[in-house]
Amino acid sequence: DHLTCNYSVVGAGWAGVYFAYRLVESGHVANASDVCLFEKTARFGGRTYSKSVVPNATLARQFIVELGAYRFSPDMHLPGDLILKEL
């Protein structure tokens, strides 16, 4: 099997994920599977990284700390809002 992409997005940090999302939502791409998102690491998120401070805690007792993304500010809410909407 080989991968066929009509559109490629390199980098799966906030900007790459948001760009891929906008390609599909704007109607420029007929099918979401035509967009391939490439990331050099094993996870998406770029410099943003969530870490549980209490390992093996139940969902109600979890305390998550956001590490990295030192340029993320409260007025940059749109990508986070979109992700929450899709979940």
Side-chain angles (χ1 to χ4, degrees), residues 21-38:
Y21 172 83
R22 291 296 300 203
L23 272 175
V24 175
E25 287 297 307
S26 67
H28 291 296
V29 176
N31 190 342
S33 64
D34 290 337
V35 179
C36 295
L37 188 54
F38 296 96

Side-chain angles (χ1 to χ4, degrees), residues 1-86:
D1 293 336
H2 66 274
L3 190 62
T4 301
C5 303
N6 292 327
Y7 300 88
S8 296
V9 179
V10 178
W14 281 103
V17 171
Y18 184 64
F19 181 72
Y21 172 83
R22 291 296 300 203
L23 272 175
V24 175
E25 287 297 307
S26 67
H28 291 296
V29 176
N31 190 342
S33 64
D34 290 337
V35 179
C36 295
L37 188 54
F38 296 96
E39 172 58 40
K40 73 176 181 176
T41 65
R43 64 171 191 82
F44 286 8
R47 292 186 314 252
T48 304
Y49 183 71
S50 301
K51 179 71 176 163
S52 177
V53 177
V54 183
N56 303 318
T58 63
L59 185 59
R61 296 210 175 267
Q62 281 186 353
F63 182 71
I64 307 293
V65 176
E66 298 300 328
L67 306 170
Y70 57 90
R71 292 186 202 122
F72 188 75
S73 65
D75 63 329
M76 298 170 64
H77 58 87
L78 187 58
D81 291 349
L82 292 171
I83 290 169
L84 287 174
K85 175 185 165 190
E86 296 300 320

